[in-house]
Short mmCIF file of all heavy atoms in Angstrom, two decimals:
data_model
loop_
_atom_site.label_atom_id
_atom_site.label_comp_id
_atom_site.label_asym_id
_atom_site.label_seq_id
_atom_site.Cartn_x
_atom_site.Cartn_y
_atom_site.Cartn_z
N ASN G 1 -156.09 96.63 139.86
CA ASN G 1 -155.62 95.64 140.68
C ASN G 1 -154.18 95.32 140.36
O ASN G 1 -153.49 95.98 139.50
CB ASN G 1 -156.44 94.38 140.58
CG ASN G 1 -157.68 94.43 141.34
OD1 ASN G 1 -158.01 95.64 141.85
ND2 ASN G 1 -158.28 93.39 141.73
N PHE G 2 -153.63 94.30 140.95
CA PHE G 2 -152.22 93.80 140.72
C PHE G 2 -152.36 92.72 139.66
O PHE G 2 -153.09 91.78 139.74
CB PHE G 2 -151.46 93.34 141.91
CG PHE G 2 -151.29 94.45 142.91
CD1 PHE G 2 -152.12 94.70 143.88
CD2 PHE G 2 -150.04 95.20 142.77
CE1 PHE G 2 -151.87 95.72 144.78
CE2 PHE G 2 -149.86 96.27 143.64
CZ PHE G 2 -150.79 96.47 144.77
N HIS G 3 -151.60 92.80 138.60
CA HIS G 3 -151.85 91.96 137.37
C HIS G 3 -150.83 90.93 137.22
O HIS G 3 -149.64 90.99 137.76
CB HIS G 3 -151.83 92.84 136.12
CG HIS G 3 -152.87 93.93 136.21
ND1 HIS G 3 -154.22 93.65 136.18
CD2 HIS G 3 -152.74 95.26 136.24
CE1 HIS G 3 -154.88 94.66 136.21
NE2 HIS G 3 -154.11 95.75 136.35
N LEU G 4 -151.08 89.83 136.39
CA LEU G 4 -150.22 88.78 136.23
C LEU G 4 -148.93 89.18 135.43
O LEU G 4 -149.05 90.24 134.65
CB LEU G 4 -150.89 87.62 135.38
CG LEU G 4 -151.75 86.61 136.12
CD1 LEU G 4 -153.08 87.34 136.73
CD2 LEU G 4 -151.98 85.41 135.40
N PRO G 5 -147.88 88.56 135.56
CA PRO G 5 -146.71 88.96 134.79
C PRO G 5 -146.96 88.69 133.29
O PRO G 5 -147.84 88.06 132.82
CB PRO G 5 -145.66 87.78 135.19
CG PRO G 5 -146.18 87.26 136.53
CD PRO G 5 -147.65 87.48 136.46
N LYS G 6 -146.17 89.43 132.48
CA LYS G 6 -146.17 89.35 130.99
C LYS G 6 -147.49 89.50 130.37
O LYS G 6 -147.82 89.00 129.32
CB LYS G 6 -145.53 87.96 130.55
CG LYS G 6 -144.19 87.83 131.11
CD LYS G 6 -143.64 86.51 130.56
CE LYS G 6 -142.15 86.17 130.94
NZ LYS G 6 -141.67 84.90 130.44
N THR G 7 -148.43 90.32 131.01
CA THR G 7 -149.64 90.56 130.35
C THR G 7 -149.93 92.00 129.92
O THR G 7 -149.23 92.89 130.23
CB THR G 7 -150.72 90.32 131.46
OG1 THR G 7 -150.58 91.22 132.57
CG2 THR G 7 -150.79 88.81 131.93
N THR G 8 -150.83 92.16 128.91
CA THR G 8 -151.12 93.50 128.42
C THR G 8 -151.72 94.41 129.54
O THR G 8 -151.49 95.62 129.38
CB THR G 8 -152.17 93.24 127.29
OG1 THR G 8 -153.38 92.80 127.76
CG2 THR G 8 -151.59 92.52 126.11
N LEU G 9 -152.33 93.78 130.46
CA LEU G 9 -152.81 94.64 131.64
C LEU G 9 -151.69 95.36 132.45
O LEU G 9 -151.56 96.49 132.69
CB LEU G 9 -153.55 93.74 132.65
CG LEU G 9 -154.78 92.97 131.94
CD1 LEU G 9 -154.99 91.73 132.72
CD2 LEU G 9 -155.94 93.93 131.95
N LEU G 10 -150.59 94.49 132.75
CA LEU G 10 -149.35 95.10 133.38
C LEU G 10 -148.67 96.10 132.41
O LEU G 10 -148.21 97.08 132.99
CB LEU G 10 -148.40 93.98 133.81
CG LEU G 10 -147.14 94.40 134.46
CD1 LEU G 10 -147.40 95.12 135.76
CD2 LEU G 10 -146.33 93.10 134.84
N MET G 11 -148.63 95.73 131.18
CA MET G 11 -147.98 96.67 130.22
C MET G 11 -148.68 98.05 130.17
O MET G 11 -148.06 99.14 130.18
CB MET G 11 -147.96 96.07 128.82
CG MET G 11 -146.93 94.76 128.83
SD MET G 11 -147.19 93.83 127.44
CE MET G 11 -146.21 92.34 127.87
N LEU G 12 -150.00 97.99 130.21
CA LEU G 12 -150.75 99.35 130.22
C LEU G 12 -150.40 100.07 131.41
O LEU G 12 -150.28 101.28 131.38
CB LEU G 12 -152.25 98.96 130.23
CG LEU G 12 -153.33 100.18 129.96
CD1 LEU G 12 -154.55 99.77 129.38
CD2 LEU G 12 -153.62 100.65 131.42
N VAL G 13 -150.34 99.33 132.70
CA VAL G 13 -150.09 100.15 133.88
C VAL G 13 -148.84 100.69 133.81
O VAL G 13 -148.51 101.92 134.29
CB VAL G 13 -150.40 99.26 135.10
CG1 VAL G 13 -149.82 99.88 136.38
CG2 VAL G 13 -151.76 98.76 135.25
N CYS G 14 -147.78 99.99 133.29
CA CYS G 14 -146.36 100.54 133.08
C CYS G 14 -146.43 101.65 132.16
O CYS G 14 -145.57 102.59 132.30
CB CYS G 14 -145.48 99.27 132.68
SG CYS G 14 -145.10 98.08 133.90
N ALA G 15 -147.25 101.68 131.18
CA ALA G 15 -147.28 102.80 130.23
C ALA G 15 -147.79 103.95 130.89
O ALA G 15 -147.31 105.11 130.60
CB ALA G 15 -148.18 102.37 129.05
N PHE G 16 -148.60 103.91 131.81
CA PHE G 16 -149.22 104.96 132.58
C PHE G 16 -148.26 105.60 133.59
O PHE G 16 -148.27 106.83 133.71
CB PHE G 16 -150.56 104.54 133.25
CG PHE G 16 -151.40 105.76 133.82
CD1 PHE G 16 -151.98 106.62 132.92
CD2 PHE G 16 -151.44 105.85 135.05
CE1 PHE G 16 -152.70 107.61 133.40
CE2 PHE G 16 -152.32 106.87 135.63
CZ PHE G 16 -152.88 107.85 134.76
N ALA G 17 -147.58 104.76 134.31
CA ALA G 17 -146.88 105.17 135.46
C ALA G 17 -145.26 104.99 135.35
O ALA G 17 -144.52 105.56 136.15
CB ALA G 17 -147.30 104.47 136.71
N GLY G 18 -144.82 104.37 134.22
CA GLY G 18 -143.41 103.96 134.06
C GLY G 18 -143.04 102.64 134.65
O GLY G 18 -143.49 102.30 135.71
N ARG G 19 -142.20 101.93 133.92
CA ARG G 19 -142.03 100.59 134.33
C ARG G 19 -141.21 100.51 135.54
O ARG G 19 -141.44 99.68 136.45
CB ARG G 19 -141.24 99.69 133.21
CG ARG G 19 -141.11 98.35 133.34
CD ARG G 19 -140.35 97.67 132.16
NE ARG G 19 -139.04 98.18 132.06
CZ ARG G 19 -137.98 97.66 132.63
NH1 ARG G 19 -138.07 96.58 133.48
NH2 ARG G 19 -136.79 98.05 132.40
N ASP G 20 -140.29 101.40 135.77
CA ASP G 20 -139.47 101.34 136.93
C ASP G 20 -140.23 101.58 138.14
O ASP G 20 -140.10 100.84 139.20
CB ASP G 20 -138.32 102.29 136.95
CG ASP G 20 -137.29 101.93 135.76
OD1 ASP G 20 -137.34 100.69 135.47
OD2 ASP G 20 -136.51 102.81 135.46
N LEU G 21 -141.16 102.60 138.19
CA LEU G 21 -141.99 102.95 139.29
C LEU G 21 -142.90 101.77 139.67
O LEU G 21 -143.19 101.33 140.80
CB LEU G 21 -142.73 104.19 139.00
CG LEU G 21 -143.80 104.65 140.16
CD1 LEU G 21 -143.02 104.78 141.58
CD2 LEU G 21 -144.42 105.94 139.88
N ILE G 22 -143.54 101.12 138.67
CA ILE G 22 -144.43 100.04 138.79
C ILE G 22 -143.78 98.91 139.39
O ILE G 22 -144.17 98.11 140.28
CB ILE G 22 -145.25 99.67 137.53
CG1 ILE G 22 -146.21 100.89 137.16
CG2 ILE G 22 -145.97 98.44 137.67
CD1 ILE G 22 -147.25 101.12 138.29
N ARG G 23 -142.57 98.61 138.88
CA ARG G 23 -141.81 97.51 139.42
C ARG G 23 -141.45 97.72 140.89
O ARG G 23 -141.46 96.83 141.73
CB ARG G 23 -140.49 97.42 138.65
CG ARG G 23 -139.51 96.35 139.19
CD ARG G 23 -139.90 94.99 139.32
NE ARG G 23 -140.23 94.40 138.11
CZ ARG G 23 -139.35 93.65 137.35
NH1 ARG G 23 -138.20 93.46 137.79
NH2 ARG G 23 -139.68 93.22 136.16
N ARG G 24 -141.18 98.95 141.27
CA ARG G 24 -140.88 99.25 142.74
C ARG G 24 -142.22 99.12 143.47
O ARG G 24 -142.20 98.57 144.64
CB ARG G 24 -140.27 100.72 142.88
CG ARG G 24 -139.90 101.04 144.23
CD ARG G 24 -138.94 102.25 144.17
NE ARG G 24 -139.49 103.37 143.77
CZ ARG G 24 -140.22 104.33 144.43
NH1 ARG G 24 -140.47 104.03 145.74
NH2 ARG G 24 -140.69 105.40 143.92
N ALA G 25 -143.32 99.51 142.89
CA ALA G 25 -144.55 99.34 143.65
C ALA G 25 -144.83 97.90 143.80
O ALA G 25 -145.39 97.47 144.87
CB ALA G 25 -145.67 100.02 142.82
N TYR G 26 -144.68 97.04 142.90
CA TYR G 26 -144.95 95.55 142.96
C TYR G 26 -144.04 94.96 143.97
O TYR G 26 -144.46 94.07 144.79
CB TYR G 26 -144.88 94.89 141.62
CG TYR G 26 -146.16 94.92 140.82
CD1 TYR G 26 -146.86 96.19 140.49
CD2 TYR G 26 -146.66 93.77 140.19
CE1 TYR G 26 -148.05 96.14 139.93
CE2 TYR G 26 -147.89 93.66 139.57
CZ TYR G 26 -148.61 94.97 139.36
OH TYR G 26 -149.71 94.89 138.56
N ASP G 27 -142.74 95.41 143.92
CA ASP G 27 -141.91 94.87 144.94
C ASP G 27 -142.25 95.21 146.38
O ASP G 27 -142.25 94.33 147.33
CB ASP G 27 -140.50 95.35 144.72
CG ASP G 27 -139.73 94.81 143.49
OD1 ASP G 27 -140.31 93.61 142.98
OD2 ASP G 27 -138.82 95.36 142.99
N ALA G 28 -142.74 96.49 146.48
CA ALA G 28 -143.22 96.85 147.85
C ALA G 28 -144.59 96.02 148.17
O ALA G 28 -144.71 95.74 149.37
CB ALA G 28 -143.51 98.24 147.84
N ALA G 29 -145.36 95.85 147.25
CA ALA G 29 -146.64 95.10 147.47
C ALA G 29 -146.36 93.72 148.00
O ALA G 29 -147.00 93.19 148.90
CB ALA G 29 -147.62 95.14 146.29
#
C-alpha cells in the first residue's frame, strides 16, 4: 500500500525500488 511519511514501511519500499522512483510514484499517485 501507500505508506505514511518517515516510516520504516516507506523506507523498506524505497530500499526495494529506489528512493527516486518511489518518490516519483508517490507524486503520480
